[in-house]
C-alpha cells in the first residue's frame, strides 16, 4: 500500500518527491515505491458563490439580503478543476492506504487540503506533515515525525469559520452597499479599517498646525554644546523671548560641571518576521509588500535557502539552536564567507534576545536554511532580500557592539549646556553592516520630539568630535565660548503612509487610533493587529485595485471613492476592534476552547444588524471622476482612476466592468531631467511623457537606447508591454467579482 502526499504547490511537491524517491512523473503527480506526491494549486475548492444557493441571488437586490446559507456548499474552482479531479482519482486508488497533508503549516494551509478531502468525500486516515522549511533535512525529519490529522481538526474548524464569516459579512455588506448607492463599493473586516487608518492619517496632516521652536548652540573647547532646560531636560522651547534673553545675557566662558565616561553595549536588532522584512525592504529598495512576499516565496520554495516566510515571530525555538552552525556553514559564501565561517567555528550561546519558545506560535523567525547557497542563481531582487536576512542572522549571532559614551555638562551663567559623544571600542555585530549602518526600524511619526527643522545655525546636535582629547577636562574648568547661536525649527506633521509604514500600522494599529480603549489595545495586542502576516500584502493590493487608495510617488493617499465609502460603511466595519474580536475567537476555536458553530450563529446575527443599518442609512454616493468617454461595450460614461501602475478609464457600470489603460508608470528615465516617465497612447502612437515637458515616441526611445548600447532592447520592451497589457486586462475589481469570487485564492482576498 502507498501513502498519498498532498502538497500546496508543485515546487514543494517536487522537493518532497525527491526526498521520498518518487521518480515516476505524470502531469499531476510523482510516484515511487511507497509514496505518491501530488499538489494543489493554491485552493482547488472554495465556498460556492451566492448564485449556487438559488436563482434569486443571481440579481443583486436588497430584498434578498442577508444571504445566510443553512448548509454551506463547496465547489471546485473552474480554473484548476483538472488538478482537483486528478487528486480525487488518486484519493480513491485502491492501493492508497492513507493521506499525508503537506500543505503550508498554518490555518490557511490546513483549509487548502481539508476542503479537497471534504469535497472528494475522503474516508481514509489522515496524517499531517508540519515543517518550517523545505530543505531535504527538514522534509526527512518531518516525515519521521508525522502527526495524526485529528490533532489539527480544531485548526481546520477555525479556518472554515474564518472563511464562512468573511463570506457572510463581506458579501452581504458589499451587495447591500452596492445596491443602496448604485456604485462599485466593497468592504471587509480588514480592508475597511486599514482604509480608515489612511483617512485618519490624512486628516491629521490636514489639521496639523506647525509650531516654531527654539534652542541655543554653543561652541567651546572644540565641542558643540546645546542648551538644555533645567526642568524638562528638553533642548527646545516654544518661548522665543526666553531664548533671546539667554542669548543676550550669555557670558563668555562655559564652566564644566560634570564629565562622565560610560562603557555601553548595543545588541543587534531582532531577526526578521515577514512584516519587519516587508517594511525594511520598502524603505531600502522601494519593494511593495506583495513584491517582498513573492521574492521570499521564491527563496523559500525554489532556492530553498530561507525558512518559511509567512511568520509573525522574530524568535527561534530551542530545537533550532542545534542547527545554527550548519546554517552558518551553508551561507558561508560570497560576501558572507569570512564572517559566517568564523562564527561557525565558535561556540554559539543561545540568548533570550533571539531564542524564546514562548514567543513562537506556528513558525519561527526567518533565517537561512541548511541548504548550500548559489548566489549566482539568484536574481538581483532575490539577492537583496537574501542579503538582508543573512546579514541580520549573522548580526544576531555576533558579539555586542562595545563603545564608550562621553557626556560633558557645563554652565554658561546659570543655563545648562550639554554635549555627548561616543567612541566604538569593539564594532561587534555592526561590522556585519559596515560604517553605513542605519536602524530603519525607528520610525519618524512627526510631532515635536525628535524633529529637525530649518536652523538659524548649522544644526542642533551636540557633538564631541572623534579623536578629541578630553582627558584635560575637569569639573570647574573654564572653556572660552567661541560661538553662540540661536537655532530654530518647526514641528512637522506625521508623514503620509508608505507601503512599509502601512504594513507596520496594520500590525500595530493601536498607535494610530484616536480612541485608545484599554480593551481594544489589549485585544489588538493579543491578536497581532489587522489581518495576518500572510494576508496584509494582499489587502494593500486589493485597496489599490479597488481604487480606494492611490500612490503619489511613494506615498499612499485615499481617493474620493475611498473617502465616500468610509462615510457610508457602518462604524463596526471601520474599526480594528471587529477583526481583533474575530481573531481572538478563531484562536480559541483552533485551540479547542470555543465553538465554531456558536461563533457562526453570532456572525449571522451581526450580519442581519449590519444589513438593517445599511438599508436604513440616508447617505449618498457621487462619482466625481466621470469623463466624457463612453464605454465601448455598454455606452455609459467612464470613470478616470489612478491605478497602482498608471491611469485608467473604467466603466461605471459594475456589471460591465470594462477598463482601458490611459498611461502607465515606467522605469524609463527622461533624458532631460532624469525623472521616470509615463507611457501613453496605443500602438504606433505610444510615447513617453515626462513631467518636465519632454515627449518622446516609443520608437524614438528604442532607437536612442539602442545607440546608447544599454537599457531597453526590443525584447525588453515587448516583455514589459506584455506585462502591462496583462495587468490592464485583469477584470475590474467590482464589488462581487474581486472581493469574493476569488475567495479560494488565499486569505488576503477575503479580508
Amino acid at each position: 500500500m502507498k501513502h498519498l502526499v498532498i502538497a500546496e504547490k508543485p515546487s514543494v511537491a517536487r522537493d518532497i518527491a525527491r526526498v521520498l524517491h518518487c521518480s515516476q512523473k505524470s502531469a499531476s503527480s510523482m510516484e515511487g515505491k511507497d509514496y505518491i506526491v501530488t499538489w494543489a494549486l493554491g485552493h482547488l475548492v472554495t465556498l460556492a458563490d451566492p448564485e449556487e444557493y438559488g436563482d434569486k441571488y443571481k440579481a443583486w437586490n436588497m430584498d434578498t439580503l442577508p444571504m445566510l446559507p443553512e448548509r454551506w456548499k463547496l465547489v471546485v474552482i473552474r480554473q484548476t478543476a483538472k488538478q482537483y479531479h486528478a487528486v480525487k482519482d488518486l484519493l480513491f486508488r485502491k492501493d492508497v492506504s492513507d493521506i499525508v497533508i503537506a500543505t503550508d503549516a498554518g490555518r490557511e494551509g490546513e483549509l487548502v487540503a481539508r476542503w479537497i478531502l471534504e469535497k472528494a468525500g475522503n474516508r481514509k486516515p489522515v496524517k499531517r506533515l508540519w515543517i518550517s522549511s523545505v530543505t531535504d533535512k527538514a522534509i526527512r525529519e518531518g516525515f519521521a515525525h508525522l502527526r495524526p490529522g485529528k490533532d489539527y481538526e480544531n485548526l481546520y474548524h477555525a479556518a472554515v469559520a474564518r472563511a464562512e464569516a468573511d463570506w457572510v459579512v463581506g458579501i452581504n455588506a458589499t451587495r447591500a452597499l452596492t445596491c443602496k448607492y448604485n456604485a462599485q463599493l466593497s468592504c471587509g473586516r480588514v480592508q475597511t479599517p486599514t482604509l480608515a487608518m489612511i483617512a485618519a492619517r490624512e486628516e491629521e496632516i490636514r489639521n496639523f498646525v506647525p509650531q516654531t521652536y527654539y534652542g541655543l548652540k554653543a561652541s567651546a573647547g572644540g565641542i558643540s554644546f546645546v542648551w538644555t532646560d533645567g526642568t524638562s531636560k528638553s533642548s527646545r522651547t516654544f518661548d522665543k523671548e526666553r531664548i533671546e534673553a539667554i542669548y543676550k545675557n550669555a557670558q563668555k566662558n562655559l564652566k564644566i560641571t560634570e564629565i562622565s565616561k560610560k562603557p555601553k553595549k548595543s545588541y543587534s536588532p531582532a531577526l526578521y518576521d515577514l512584516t519587519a522584512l516587508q517594511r525594511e525592504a520598502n524603505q531600502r529598495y522601494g519593494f511593495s509588500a506583495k513584491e517582498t512576499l513573492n521574492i521570499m516565496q521564491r527563496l523559500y520554495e525554489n532556492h530553498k535557502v530561507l525558512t518559511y516566510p509567512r511568520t509573525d515571530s522574530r524568535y527561534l525555538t530551542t530545537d533550532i539552536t542545534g542547527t545554527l552552525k550548519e546554517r552558518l556553514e551553508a551561507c558561508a559564501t560570497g560576501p558572507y564567507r569570512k564572517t559566517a565561517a568564523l562564527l561557525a567555528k565558535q561556540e554559539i550561546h543561545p540568548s533570550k534576545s533571539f531564542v524564546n519558545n514562548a514567543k513562537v506560535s506556528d513558525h519561527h523567525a526567518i533565517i537561512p536554511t541548511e541548504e548550500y547557497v548559489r548566489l549566482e542563481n539568484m536574481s538581483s531582487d532575490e539577492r537583496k532580500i537574501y542579503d538582508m536576512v543573512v546579514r541580520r542572522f549573522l548580526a544576531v549571532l555576533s558579539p555586542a557592539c562595545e563603545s564608550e559614551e562621553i557626556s560633558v555638562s557645563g554652565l554658561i551663567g546659570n543655563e545648562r549646556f550639554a554635549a555627548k559623544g561616543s567612541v566604538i571600542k569593539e564594532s561587534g555585530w555592526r561590522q556585519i553592516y559596515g560604517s553605513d549602518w542605519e536602524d530603519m526600524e525607528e520610525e519618524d511619526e512627526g510631532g515635536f520630539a525628535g524633529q529637525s527643522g530649518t536652523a538659524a545655525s548649522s544644526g542642533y546636535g551636540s557633538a564631541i568630535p572623534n579623536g578629541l582629547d578630553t582627558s584635560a577636562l575637569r569639573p570647574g574648568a573654564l572653556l572660552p565660548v567661541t560661538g553662540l547661536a540661536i537655532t530654530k525649527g518647526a514641528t512637522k506633521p506625521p508623514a503620509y503612509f508608505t507601503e512599509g509604514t502601512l504594513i507596520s500600522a496594520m500590525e500595530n494599529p493601536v498607535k494610530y487610533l484616536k480612541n485608545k480603549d484599554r480593551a481594544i489595545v489589549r485585544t489588538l495586542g493579543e491578536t497581532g493587529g489587522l489581518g495576518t502576516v500572510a494576508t496584509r500584502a494582499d489587502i494593500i493590493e486589493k485597496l489599490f485595485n479597488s481604487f480606494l487608495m492611490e500612490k503619489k510617488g511613494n506615498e499612499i493617499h485615499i481617493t474620493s471613492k475611498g473617502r465616500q465609502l468610509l462615510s457610508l460603511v457602518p462604524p463596526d466595519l471601520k474599526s480594528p476592534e471587529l477583526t481583533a474580536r474575530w481573531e481572538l475567537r478563531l484562536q480559541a476555536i483552533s485551540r479547542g476552547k470555543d465553538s465554531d458553530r456558536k461563533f457562526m450563529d453570532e456572525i449571522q446575527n451581526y450580519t442581519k444588524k449590519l444589513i438593517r443599518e445599511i438599508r436604513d442609512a440616508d447617505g449618498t454616493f457621487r462619482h466625481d471622476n466621470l469623463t466624457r468617454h463612453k464605454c465601448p461595450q455598454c455606452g455609459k460614461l467612464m470613470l478616470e482612476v489612478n491605478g497602482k501602475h498608471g491611469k485608467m478609464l473604467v466603466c461605471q457600470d459594475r456589471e460591465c466592468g470594462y477598463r482601458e489603460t490611459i498611461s502607465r508608470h515606467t522605469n524609463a528615465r527622461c533624458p532631460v531631467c532624469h525623472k521616470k516617465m509615463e507611457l501613453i497612447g496605443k500602438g504606433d502612437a505610444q510615447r513617453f511623457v515626462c513631467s518636465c515637458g519632454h515627449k518622446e515616441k516609443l520608437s524614438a526611445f528604442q532607437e536612442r537606447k539602442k545607440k546608447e548600447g544599454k537599457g531597453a532592447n526590443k525584447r525588453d520592451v515587448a516583455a514589459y508591454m506584455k506585462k502591462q497589457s496583462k495587468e490592464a486586462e485583469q477584470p475590474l475589481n467590482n464589488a462581487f467579482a474581486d472581493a469574493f469570487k476569488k475567495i479560494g485564492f488565499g486569505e488576503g482576498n477575503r479580508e
Side-chain angles (χ1 to χ4, degrees):
M1 299 296 283
K2 296 184 177 183
H3 314 283
L4 177 63
V5 181
I6 303 177
E8 190 156 334
K9 296 174 183 174
S11 58
V12 178
R14 285 193 293 270
D15 295 329
I16 293 174
R18 186 184 65 255
V19 173
L20 299 179
H21 307 294
C22 299
S23 55
Q24 186 179 337
K25 299 179 181 179
S26 72
S28 57
S29 64
M30 287 162 278
E31 189 167 347
K33 179 183 176 183
D34 300 313
Y35 292 92
I36 306 169
V37 182
T38 187
W39 55 83
L41 296 166
H43 279 276
L44 299 182
V45 175
T46 187
L47 292 174
D49 292 334
E51 291 82 355
E52 299 289 332
Y53 294 96
D55 291 342
K56 66 178 181 178
Y57 295 126
K58 290 182 178 179
W60 288 42
N61 191 320
M62 185 74 83
D63 294 336
T64 62
L65 304 179
M67 297 177 287
L68 303 172
E70 292 183 9
R71 290 189 60 189
W72 289 90
K73 296 181 180 180
L74 293 175
V75 295
V76 177
I77 297 170
R78 181 174 54 83
Q79 294 92 328
T80 54
K82 183 177 179 181
Q83 182 63 19
Y84 165 78
H85 289 295
V87 175
K88 183 178 179 180
D89 289 342
L90 292 171
L91 283 168
F92 285 95
R93 268 181 44 171
K94 292 183 178 179
D95 60 340
V96 169
S97 61
D98 56 7
I99 316 300
V100 177
I101 295 177
T103 47
D104 285 352
R107 190 170 71 192
E108 198 64 21
E110 197 69 22
L111 193 64
V112 168
R114 297 283 187 150
W115 267 353
I116 294 172
L117 298 180
E118 183 174 334
K119 180 64 178 174
N122 175 65
R123 294 292 181 270
K124 294 178 180 179
V126 175
K127 295 179 181 178
R128 189 50 158 113
L129 174 73
W130 194 270
I131 56 177
S132 292
S133 63
V134 287
T135 63
D136 290 6
K137 180 181 178 182
I139 292 169
R140 281 194 295 269
E141 290 181 354
F143 271 90
H145 301 90
L146 290 175
R147 304 181 188 179
K150 65 180 181 180
D151 289 357
Y152 298 89
E153 286 288 338
N154 290 325
L155 184 65
Y156 170 52
H157 293 322
V160 172
R162 198 274 313 143
E164 292 176 356
D166 276 333
W167 192 102
V168 169
V169 173
I171 285 185
N172 279 291
T174 293
R175 281 203 174 193
L177 286 167
T178 301
C179 292
K180 173 83 174 180
Y181 301 106
N182 193 29
Q184 300 163 16
L185 301 174
S186 64
C187 61
R189 65 178 175 94
V190 174
Q191 70 171 40
T192 312
T194 301
L195 191 66
M197 286 197 302
I198 298 167
R201 172 59 61 87
E202 289 197 14
E203 183 180 2
E204 191 178 352
I205 294 171
R206 281 195 304 272
N207 295 335
F208 183 83
V209 178
Q211 290 181 281
T212 302
Y213 54 80
Y214 303 89
L216 277 170
K217 181 178 179 180
S219 297
I223 301 173
S224 294
F225 292 85
V226 294
W227 168 81
T228 306
D229 184 273
T231 304
S232 67
K233 308 303 180 186
S234 172
S235 61
R236 296 163 187 170
T237 177
F238 295 111
D239 190 341
K240 182 180 180 181
E241 292 182 358
R242 181 185 179 191
I243 287 294
E244 288 178 339
I246 297 172
Y247 176 80
K248 183 178 179 181
N249 299 320
Q251 299 176 8
K252 295 182 179 180
N253 291 317
L254 183 146
K255 182 180 180 180
I256 301 295
T257 58
E258 186 181 355
I259 300 173
S260 67
K261 296 182 180 180
K262 297 179 180 178
K264 184 179 179 181
K265 285 187 177 183
S266 67
Y267 296 89
S268 164
L271 295 167
Y272 289 115
D273 63 4
L274 180 58
T275 300
L277 187 66
Q278 288 170 319
R279 178 178 61 240
E280 192 167 321
N282 179 258
Q283 292 171 312
R284 288 187 184 277
Y285 306 115
F287 292 160
S288 71
K290 188 67 173 177
E291 284 174 326
T292 300
L293 178 56
N294 288 341
I295 294 168
M296 280 296 303
Q297 283 294 132
R298 294 199 298 273
L299 291 169
Y300 165 67
E301 292 179 7
N302 301 341
H303 297 283
K304 297 182 284 298
V305 294
L306 295 182
T307 55
Y308 188 68
R310 298 169 191 256
T311 175
D312 60 358
S313 177
R314 304 187 71 172
Y315 292 84
L316 304 178
T317 50
T318 50
D319 61 314
I320 297 296
T321 58
T323 69
L324 295 181
K325 284 195 175 185
E326 196 173 347
R327 295 171 194 269
L328 285 168
E329 291 166 356
C331 64
T333 184
Y336 326 111
R337 180 182 288 110
K338 185 177 179 180
T339 303
L342 183 64
L343 289 171
K345 291 178 182 178
Q346 300 173 357
E347 186 177 353
I348 297 174
H349 301 284
S351 163
K352 287 186 178 180
S353 63
F354 67 93
V355 178
N356 191 330
N357 290 357
K359 293 188 177 182
V360 180
S361 52
D362 292 340
H363 302 284
H364 57 68
I366 301 168
I367 58 174
T369 65
E370 305 96 324
E371 193 80 7
Y372 178 73
V373 177
R374 294 187 180 276
L375 297 176
E376 65 273 13
N377 292 342
M378 296 183 192
S379 68
S380 173
D381 290 348
E382 289 168 348
R383 282 286 300 272
K384 289 174 181 175
I385 297 297
Y386 180 74
D387 181 78
M388 288 173 62
V389 175
V390 173
R391 287 188 189 276
R392 182 60 56 87
F393 178 64
L394 297 177
V396 164
L397 297 178
S398 296
C401 172
E402 298 182 22
S403 59
E404 184 179 60
E405 194 173 86
I406 307 170
S407 298
V408 181
S409 297
L411 293 173
I412 299 179
N414 295 320
E415 297 295 330
R416 185 177 182 272
F417 284 74
K420 285 186 177 181
S422 181
V423 178
I424 293 179
K425 301 294 186 181
E426 295 289 340
S427 55
W429 64 268
R430 282 180 178 265
Q431 192 172 356
I432 308 296
Y433 290 98
S435 58
D436 60 345
W437 161 251
E438 181 184 359
D439 189 354
M440 305 193 82
E441 298 201 26
E442 292 294 328
E443 289 183 35
D444 184 4
E445 287 299 328
F448 177 74
Q451 289 298 316
S452 60
T454 304
S457 65
S458 60
Y460 295 107
S462 61
I464 300 174
N466 282 332
L468 181 70
D469 185 8
T470 59
S471 60
L473 293 179
R474 296 284 186 275
L478 295 178
L479 301 179
V481 176
T482 56
L484 185 65
I486 294 176
T487 59
K488 74 174 183 178
T491 55
K492 296 178 182 178
Y496 284 95
F497 280 119
T498 64
E499 286 204 46
T501 56
L502 180 58
I503 210 161
S504 294
M506 293 173 74
E507 182 183 47
N508 183 23
V510 173
K511 61 195 287 189
Y512 303 95
L513 296 177
K514 291 182 179 178
N515 176 27
K516 292 182 172 59
D517 179 83
R518 288 186 179 180
I520 296 177
V521 171
R522 184 178 63 254
T523 303
L524 285 171
E526 291 173 353
T527 58
L530 289 170
T532 66
V533 289
T535 64
R536 289 178 189 132
D538 287 327
I539 294 298
I540 291 174
E541 290 295 310
K542 185 174 178 180
L543 288 169
F544 279 124
N545 294 335
S546 305
F547 313 121
L548 296 171
M549 68 185 194
E550 61 189 9
K551 266 193 174 182
K552 294 181 181 179
N554 200 35
E555 296 174 349
I556 294 175
H557 292 252
I558 192 170
T559 63
S560 171
K561 179 182 179 181
R563 217 172 272 114
Q564 290 185 78
L565 173 66
L566 290 176
S567 71
L568 302 174
V569 167
D572 263 8
L573 282 179
K574 292 186 286 186
S575 170
E577 185 181 5
L578 177 66
T579 195
R581 290 200 308 264
W582 281 27
E583 284 299 328
L584 271 181
R585 297 291 300 278
L586 293 171
Q587 287 178 14
I589 293 168
S590 68
R591 293 192 294 265
K593 295 181 178 180
D594 200 348
S595 164
D596 56 331
R597 291 304 95 195
K598 180 182 177 183
F599 172 71
M600 284 308 301
D601 287 342
E602 293 172 14
I603 291 297
Q604 291 194 358
N605 291 331
Y606 170 72
T607 304
K608 293 174 184 176
K609 172 177 168 285
L610 207 59
I611 299 304
R612 286 196 300 270
E613 286 184 34
I614 296 173
R615 184 184 287 117
D616 297 340
D618 56 1
T620 57
F621 183 89
R622 180 177 65 87
H623 290 298
D624 57 3
N625 55 343
L626 273 174
T627 68
R628 295 184 178 181
H629 298 279
K630 289 187 176 181
C631 175
Q633 292 186 359
C634 70
K636 293 182 180 179
L637 293 179
M638 300 180 73
L639 309 172
E640 182 178 308
V641 298
N642 290 317
K644 191 176 182 182
H645 304 287
K647 289 184 179 180
M648 288 183 286
L649 292 175
V650 300
C651 183
Q652 63 173 294
D653 190 327
R654 62 178 175 79
E655 294 183 353
C656 175
Y658 177 79
R659 63 166 31 173
E660 179 182 322
T661 300
I662 303 174
S663 66
R664 307 180 186 98
H665 304 312
T666 76
N667 288 322
R669 296 284 180 174
C670 172
V672 179
C673 68
H674 305 295
K675 292 180 180 178
K676 290 182 180 180
M677 299 187 291
E678 287 196 337
L679 185 64
I680 65 174
K682 297 179 181 179
D684 295 336
Q686 290 180 100
R687 64 188 188 277
F688 286 100
V689 176
C690 181
S691 58
C692 75
H694 173 76
K695 296 179 181 179
E696 186 175 16
K697 286 186 177 180
L698 176 60
S699 56
F701 170 82
Q702 291 172 304
E703 190 63 30
R704 176 167 61 84
K705 285 296 182 182
K706 188 176 180 181
K707 288 179 180 178
E708 292 174 358
K710 61 181 181 180
N713 54 36
K714 286 186 177 181
R715 181 179 295 179
D716 294 332
V717 174
Y720 173 78
M721 296 302 297
K722 183 177 180 181
K723 178 184 176 184
Q724 295 293 326
S725 297
K726 186 177 180 181
E727 289 169 350
E729 291 168 2
Q730 289 175 349
L732 178 65
N733 182 33
N734 62 59
F736 175 60
D738 185 80
F740 305 107
K741 197 156 189 174
K742 293 181 180 178
I743 200 164
F745 289 91
E747 193 171 354
N749 294 310
R750 292 177 293 276
E751 293 184 309

